[in-house]
Amino acid sequence: MEAKRYHTIGKVAHRKDGLSKVTGREVYSTDVSLPNMLYGRVLRSPYPHAKILSVDTSEAEKMGAVCITPFEVPRMRYNERQVSIPEKTYRDRTVLPDKARHFGEGIVAVAARTEALAEKALRSIKVEYEQLPPVFDPFEAMEPGAPQLYEDVMLGDVTLPIENNIACAREVSEGNVEEGFKEADLILEETFATGRAYHAQMETKSVLCRPEPDGGITLWPTAQSIHNTRQLLGRIFGIPLSKVNVHRVPIGGSFGSSIQMNSCIPVCVALALKARKPVKLVLTREEDMYDHCKYPSLINLKYGVKKDGTITAGEMKTVVDIGAHNIQAYPLLGCMSGWFVSLYRMPHMRFEGKTVYTNKAPACAMQGYGNPQVSFAVESMMDMIGERLGMDPIEVRLKNYVGLGETFWGQGPTVRSVIRSCGVEEMLLKGKDLIGWERRGKPEEKKGRYRRGIGVGRSFHTSGTGAPMPGEVIDYSTALVKVNEDGSVDFLTGLMCHGGGTLEACAKIVAEEMGVPLDMVGISPSDTRTTGYDVCTHATRGVYCGGSALLKATKAAKRRLLEFASRIIEVNPDALRIRPDERLGQGVIYLEGAKGKSITVGEVAKTAQIKGWGTAIAVESHRQVNCPPCFVTNFIEVEVDTQTGEVKPVRAVAAVDAGTVINPDLAAGQLEGGLCRGIGLALLEDTDYDRNTGELTCGGYLVDYKSLTAVDLPEVEAVSTFFAETYEPSGPFGAKGVGEAANNAMAGTVANAVYNTIGIRFTEAPITPEKVLKALKERERESRQ
């Protein structure tokens, strides 16, 4: 497609929130304070599994503290995640539980005038527990007679019994997988495991709630969706939505940890309603670690292939340990089936998945929602297939990838659409040259203490969850665009930016379509009273879905503006255009090729005001009917120290097919961030639990939770990033997403590089130095026998 020339799209510009962020003046939920505000603290269970028999708060109340217990809060069962349609939403949580199901679960809360007094009051509370036997292993949890976390839960409005701690299960198949395996010349089967990494977002979860005189509430929360938070709080506390107002507050990173309404939010609301004063509740870092983690997975993968590398059949079986609460397990299984099916074509496939309750912190979405786990297994298998067949791993991928014109499942079997843009081949071939693929050599040729190898991996993520037919996930955005009387433009949206520049991209979309300079576009502060519904910034949907709603609203406001202009300069509005004029500092409406037939945007808006014609303003809701894949490809060169087991990344290539790139510098930053986090998940990050107490063995984030730093990563000049030359016809100005895709392929890429270095295949991530040393010693011992 012929390249388009844009005045704003694809250009590097100063971020509108850049100055406030670098000077520390950005206001996050932890920074918001109100007069007469109380400070909240939560008493957490010292046991992984226990009934709460009684709670004595008398001493705390003598100190002036306001207390709430499990016996005085609404008992309605709910799911914190409100993205799925109601009949597919499992509900097992209450504001405070009468049964603790993991160490660190909140069971009582207090609010007091100072943080110190709140902590003192908290420590005075006496709780009587009945300890119950815990279960930490998902396979042990499914055994008959294992301790049961739940007798039943709600599925929509239906009470559903829980048997053997299986939270939910899902099976999907197409074709005849047995016949597909019969057609194969080679069948490979392997089991892969990934850990329970902590999100480690910069900002812990927090909220400030102010009760209003009319019985309503106003909140400033850590949230990825202000509207879903509002709706859920309204249902729990029986407050009309017109009396619930949730402010959009900048978020200090999330990585999926706040897709759901965070557990501290309803606790804070309950405290504020009882105290009749504003209450602020901020989680400590250790509390945050017990609040959420990445979904761990055990994946058994089986492929049938012909001698030429063509895949004939694939089968995936997975068991996912979801911890103590089902936040979003059913759609997770659907997504995992979609990630599996949509990476490489197979005429015959079968997917079987189970999610299991255990007495550990609840798992939730984290940078890819099951995609990094699936891609780790699949990309490892692609290399294994290539090795068995004597084929280059890149050739195997090029032969089988799902690409242009093919149907992919997106986020599961109910979310299917046709791929209209694809840069897979470009990224594999260009990345191959950039990394120096011809130098990779074979493992058996490498000697000495320090050895180097190169690996490749690819993946994708969807841009939203839209499909031609509505599926299991709600997905639409609403936006308002208004032209001001000085020629500037405001836009309002409930869309949340996690820090990567989503709202910045939206401002560029508005500026480009309206034909005004970028600095004349303002990102308006938003809350649930001033904006229409936006589902949530998740599924890499921000620019593609939220940006499309803004583009639709901008076009509508622009049409009204041009109608006003046509009355003034007496030209058919369809013939008028708008261009930015840097000298005038605003947009100019003009008739091409006609002198004297031009007027500034500000003049038109002001004239319309004076004459009473109205305001050039529009509100639009928009649901995308596609969720195009933003493909990603990674190459990495690693160095393995065979004496210490340390795996050090030394060079890397990260490429993405994001269609038209709105923010090139910020998109490159997303690629680099995904690369770094993906390497950390591949080599280091995990949480382990004491099997007796349910406590984290790392002792908390600041004690011994390891994550990579800049010292551990490749030098800046050793990382190459690039964008595939594609155009997505359904996206705003041809754009797709980047976000989660940037992280999804890295674990498999690193595992393949380690194999190319030392000839040992690791099927469990993270690949720690201890595991590397153990495998090297085992191989050495076997070679001596």
Side-chain angles (χ1 to χ4, degrees), residues 206 221-226 229 246 249 251 258 260 262 265 496 498:
S206 60
T222 303
Q224 288 179 226
S225 172
I226 57 176
T229 299
V246 182
V249 186
I251 190 169
S258 293
Q260 62 275 6
N262 296 321
I265 293 176
M496 174 62 70
H498 301 170

Side-chain angles (χ1 to χ4, degrees), residues 118 145 219 270 455 480 520 555-556 629 632:
L219 290 97
L480 178 149
M520 291 293 279
K555 287 181 176 181
V632 67

Side-chain angles (χ1 to χ4, degrees), residues 341-403:
V341 169
S342 300
L343 267 169
Y344 299 101
R345 71 179 73 90
M346 48 190 122
H348 310 281
M349 65 76 61
R350 180 164 57 213
F351 170 89
E352 298 176 9
K354 293 179 181 178
T355 63
V356 186
Y357 285 116
T358 63
N359 292 112
K360 291 186 278 191
C364 68
M366 179 178 172
Q367 287 176 292
Y369 195 31
N371 204 331
Q373 296 91 316
V374 172
S375 294
F376 170 60
V378 171
E379 287 305 292
S380 296
M381 285 289 273
M382 289 302 111
D383 266 37
M384 294 164 68
I385 289 170
E387 182 182 28
R388 289 287 299 275
L389 296 177
M391 293 178 63
D392 188 294
I394 293 177
E395 184 183 351
V396 175
R397 289 168 171 82
L398 289 172
K399 180 178 283 289
N400 293 290
Y401 77 88
V402 179

Side-chain angles (χ1 to χ4, degrees), residues 239-252:
I239 304 174
L241 296 187
S242 60
K243 294 183 179 182
V244 181
N245 192 26
V246 182
H247 287 268
R248 186 183 71 200
V249 186
I251 190 169

Side-chain angles (χ1 to χ4, degrees), residues 669-710:
Q670 292 263 347
L671 280 178
E672 291 164 359
L675 178 85
C676 296
R677 188 61 187 273
I679 294 172
L681 294 172
L683 297 179
L684 197 59
E685 294 188 50
D686 198 5
T687 55
D688 190 29
Y689 289 78
D690 185 301
R691 291 179 63 86
N692 296 313
T693 67
E695 292 183 79
L696 289 169
T697 58
C698 65
Y701 184 74
L702 299 178
V703 180
D704 200 30
Y705 183 83
K706 302 298 184 185
S707 56
L708 297 182
T709 68

Side-chain angles (χ1 to χ4, degrees), residues 214-510:
D214 64 357
I217 51 175
T218 302
L219 290 97
W220 292 262
T222 303
Q224 288 179 226
S225 172
I226 57 176
H227 285 278
N228 288 339
T229 299
R230 178 198 209 193
Q231 291 181 12
L232 187 49
L233 289 173
R235 289 202 300 274
I236 292 172
F237 293 97
I239 304 174
L241 296 187
S242 60
K243 294 183 179 182
V244 181
N245 192 26
V246 182
H247 287 268
R248 186 183 71 200
V249 186
I251 190 169
S254 178
F255 311 127
S257 67
S258 293
I259 284 179
Q260 62 275 6
M261 180 189 72
N262 296 321
S263 58
C264 61
I265 293 176
V267 172
C268 185
V269 171
L271 282 169
L273 289 174
K274 185 172 182 178
R276 299 182 182 179
K277 290 182 178 181
V279 175
K280 185 177 188 177
L281 179 55
V282 180
L283 299 192
T284 66
R285 181 60 68 177
E286 284 67 31
E287 286 177 314
D288 203 66
M289 289 191 74
Y290 283 107
D291 191 73
H292 55 88
C293 70
K294 177 185 177 183
Y295 283 109
S297 64
L298 190 77
I299 295 175
N300 180 267
L301 200 55
K302 183 178 178 182
Y303 279 111
V305 293
K306 291 186 176 293
K307 291 178 181 178
D308 66 354
T310 302
I311 298 172
T312 62
E315 181 181 70
M316 176 178 159
K317 298 179 181 179
T318 185
V319 173
V320 181
D321 175 359
I322 66 169
H325 293 287
N326 183 345
I327 296 176
Q328 48 206 4
Y330 187 76
L332 171 77
L333 293 178
C335 282
M336 292 180 79
S337 72
W339 310 144
F340 171 49
V341 169
S342 300
L343 267 169
Y344 299 101
R345 71 179 73 90
M346 48 190 122
H348 310 281
M349 65 76 61
R350 180 164 57 213
F351 170 89
E352 298 176 9
K354 293 179 181 178
T355 63
V356 186
Y357 285 116
T358 63
N359 292 112
K360 291 186 278 191
C364 68
M366 179 178 172
Q367 287 176 292
Y369 195 31
N371 204 331
Q373 296 91 316
V374 172
S375 294
F376 170 60
V378 171
E379 287 305 292
S380 296
M381 285 289 273
M382 289 302 111
D383 266 37
M384 294 164 68
I385 289 170
E387 182 182 28
R388 289 287 299 275
L389 296 177
M391 293 178 63
D392 188 294
I394 293 177
E395 184 183 351
V396 175
R397 289 168 171 82
L398 289 172
K399 180 178 283 289
N400 293 290
Y401 77 88
V402 179
L404 197 65
E406 297 183 79
T407 299
F408 87 116
W409 285 22
Q411 298 220 349
T414 65
V415 187
R416 305 190 189 201
S417 58
V418 176
I419 299 173
R420 303 298 184 192
S421 56
C422 176
V424 171
E425 185 172 342
E426 176 190 349
M427 291 188 292
L428 281 169
L429 297 179
K430 185 175 178 179
K432 173 183 176 180
D433 292 337
L434 286 172
I435 200 68
W437 185 253
E438 71 285 350
R439 300 185 299 101
R440 67 193 302 260
K442 296 181 179 180
E444 58 268 24
E445 299 170 347
K446 299 169 185 180
K447 308 295 180 184
R449 174 178 174 178
Y450 299 101
R451 305 176 192 178
R452 290 194 176 189
I454 296 173
V456 63
R458 56 169 296 269
S459 187
F460 72 98
H461 208 76
T462 56
S463 303
T465 62
M469 295 183 293
E472 299 166 359
V473 180
I474 301 164
D475 194 323
Y476 76 88
S477 293
T478 307
L480 178 149
V481 174
K482 173 172 67 78
V483 180
N484 298 315
E485 289 71 27
D486 63 348
S488 63
V489 181
D490 292 323
F491 75 85
L492 285 89
T493 173
L495 191 69
M496 174 62 70
C497 177
H498 301 170
T502 300
L503 294 177
E504 201 72 22
C506 288
K508 287 185 174 180
I509 289 169
V510 172

